[in-house]
């Protein structure tokens, strides 16, 4: 197999693009895909400061690497979820990455903000762990961005993540998530920062290859609560489709974004208020995060 660009020995075949690349040309291809996403969806400029939500995994660290190498002002944000050794190890990976590149890294502890670490939140509130965790992550990344003056948060969601989320929403025809699913979500309120996903054009395999070729030391283990998640089943199904017909995932997601999403957008229009307690944005009187923190406090 030869590199499509230079004719040298290829290290990776990309069937959906019907091409193959050697290591340096793959790294360049990967960065070009990110640049294309940033440009096409006007995610941010080189003058803006970007807050990159990093988990210690391959996707978010690969994204941070691409942005730093591309000359963007990218600060990392690590949310310490307090999930046993998984959190300890992932935090260490983020700190080592930041130190090696002399890049700024902010850290926020969920335990300090919510009143309990993620594994204890379920016991205290009876809420499914991942739902409490997802709510806390969304709230705390937005809050950190506002507190530190960032207008945009970038996350490491890749093509596989986005296609799996889309499949999950379509299977239940969840119109609100469908309206919100986008590589770039603009701010709809002064207290909501923009959220962008510059890796949405790149598959999980491609991100893993990039992280490997760049020598990024990331946490390989998944969060222990991810086991049995339906999103993993959706990824498996999409991988089987992809194998039988390369490009299936990409057509599914891009087709939705181009042709179907506009039809759902109207549904997403909701009235936004400021939470009576913390001032962050909510559709009710008290935001979901403040309600969660109350439940934890009452249980203690
Ligand atoms: S939501 Fe659930 Fe993740 Fe939180 S508890 Fe772990 S698996 S980290 S993406
Ligand atoms: Zn609140």
């Amino acid at each position: 197999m030869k590199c499509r660009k230079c004719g040298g020995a290829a290290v990776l075949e990309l069937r959906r693009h019907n091409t193959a690349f050697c290591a340096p040309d793959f790294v360049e291809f990967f960065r070009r895909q990110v640049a294309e996403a940033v440009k096409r969806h006007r995610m941010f400029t080189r003058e803006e400061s970007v807050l990159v939500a990093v988990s210690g995994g391959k996707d978010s660290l690969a994204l941070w690497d691409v942005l730093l190498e591309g000359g963007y002002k990218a600060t990392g944000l690590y949310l310490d979820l307090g999930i046993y050794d998984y959190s300890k190890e992932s935090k260490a990976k983020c700190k080592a990455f930041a130190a090696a590149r002399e890049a700024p890294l902010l850290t926020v502890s969920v335990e300090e903000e919510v009143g309990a670490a993620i594994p204890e939140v379920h016991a205290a509130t009876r809420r499914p762990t991942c739902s409490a965790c997802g709510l806390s992550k969304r709230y705390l990344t937005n809050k950190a961005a506002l507190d530190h003056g960032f207008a945009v948060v970038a996350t490491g969601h890749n093509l596989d993540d986005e296609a799996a989320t889309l499949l999950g929403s379509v299977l239940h025809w969840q119109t609100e998530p469908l309206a919100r699913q986008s590589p770039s979500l603009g701010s709809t309120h002064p207290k909501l920062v923009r959220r962008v996903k510059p890796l949405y054009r790149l598959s999980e395999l491609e991100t893993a290859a990039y992280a490997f070729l760049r020598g990024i030391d990331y946490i390989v283990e998944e969060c222990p609560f991810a086991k049995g998640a339906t999103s993993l089943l959706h990824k498996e199904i999409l991988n089987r489709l992809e194998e039988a017909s390369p490009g299936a995932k990409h057509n599914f997601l891009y087709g939705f974004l181009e042709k179907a999403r506009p039809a759902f957008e109207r549904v997403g229009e909701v009235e936004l208020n400021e939470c009576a307690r913390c001032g962050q944005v909510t559709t009710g009187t008290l935001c979901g995060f403040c309600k969660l923190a109350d439940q934890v406090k009452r249980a203690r």
Side-chain angles (χ1 to χ4, degrees):
M1 208 173 32
K2 283 186 177 169
C3 170
R4 182 59 71 88
K5 194 112 184 269
C6 71
V11 293
L12 201 75
E13 184 186 12
L14 305 179
R15 282 177 65 207
R16 75 192 160 93
H17 291 294
N18 193 20
T19 190
F21 289 117
C22 66
D25 285 325
F26 172 72
V27 167
E28 202 200 308
F29 160 85
F30 192 93
R31 290 178 178 162
R32 256 204 331 268
Q33 289 293 323
V34 175
E36 171 67 24
V38 170
K39 191 172 142 210
R40 187 179 286 223
H41 295 276
R42 294 199 190 96
M43 292 182 176
F44 40 75
T45 62
R46 281 203 174 68
E47 284 67 51
E48 277 181 299
S49 294
V50 184
L51 189 61
V52 187
V54 288
S55 66
K58 63 182 186 326
D59 304 299
S60 55
L61 291 183
L63 171 60
W64 199 8
D65 181 84
V66 174
L67 296 184
L68 290 171
E69 291 294 316
Y72 287 97
K73 289 190 253 174
T75 295
L77 169 68
Y78 177 76
L79 294 182
D80 187 347
L81 305 170
I83 303 177
Y84 321 118
D85 286 348
Y86 167 74
S87 285
K88 281 189 202 135
E89 207 185 309
S90 57
K91 187 181 188 173
K93 301 282 187 204
C94 292
K95 282 192 162 178
F97 180 99
R101 288 158 178 83
E102 294 180 27
L105 174 68
L106 304 173
T107 305
V108 173
S109 154
V110 168
E111 183 166 9
E112 278 169 29
E113 299 288 331
V114 189
I118 290 300
E120 281 92 58
V121 171
H122 169 65
T125 64
R126 300 266 135 237
R127 263 186 99 114
T129 305
C130 288
S131 118
C133 179
L135 166 76
S136 304
K137 286 200 280 197
R138 274 192 305 279
Y139 179 94
L140 293 172
T141 40
N142 189 68
K143 183 168 181 288
L146 287 176
D147 289 352
H148 296 273
F150 292 88
V152 57
V153 168
T155 57
H157 294 94
N158 59 39
L159 174 61
D160 294 56
D161 297 323
E162 291 302 284
T165 302
L166 175 60
L167 180 60
S169 303
V170 164
L171 289 175
H172 301 280
W173 291 114
Q174 291 165 321
T175 50
E176 242 183 77
L178 286 168
R180 277 199 315 267
Q181 176 150 10
S182 169
S184 175
L185 263 192
S187 170
T188 49
H189 186 281
K191 285 190 173 175
L192 278 183
V193 302
R194 263 159 38 228
R195 298 186 83 96
V196 297
K197 300 166 180 168
L199 298 187
Y200 84 95
R201 305 172 67 82
L202 292 148
S203 74
E204 200 150 317
L205 185 94
E206 288 155 13
T207 331
Y210 180 84
F212 174 77
L213 293 172
R214 290 283 300 151
I216 295 172
D217 182 21
Y218 60 88
I219 181 164
V220 178
E221 292 81 52
E222 291 267 2
C223 166
F225 293 105
K227 276 193 202 92
T230 41
S231 59
L232 294 183
L233 173 65
H234 295 154
K235 278 190 179 175
E236 227 178 278
I237 293 166
L238 287 162
N239 281 338
R240 287 180 59 186
L241 285 173
E242 181 75 25
E243 227 181 279
S245 128
K249 254 183 244 177
H250 153 157
N251 292 341
F252 179 51
L253 180 69
Y254 291 18
F256 165 75
L257 293 174
E258 277 157 31
K259 298 174 195 157
R261 186 177 175 267
F264 293 96
E265 261 175 326
R266 271 161 283 136
V267 187
E269 283 171 15
V270 282
E271 198 197 316
L272 297 174
N273 313 311
E274 287 184 19
C275 169
R277 170 102 36 91
C278 71
Q280 285 231 48
V281 179
T282 174
T283 49
T285 332
L286 213 57
C287 79
F289 184 82
C290 286
K291 284 184 197 156
L292 182 75
D294 274 353
Q295 281 178 305
V296 170
K297 220 178 285 158
R298 272 200 301 275
R300 300 225 129 184

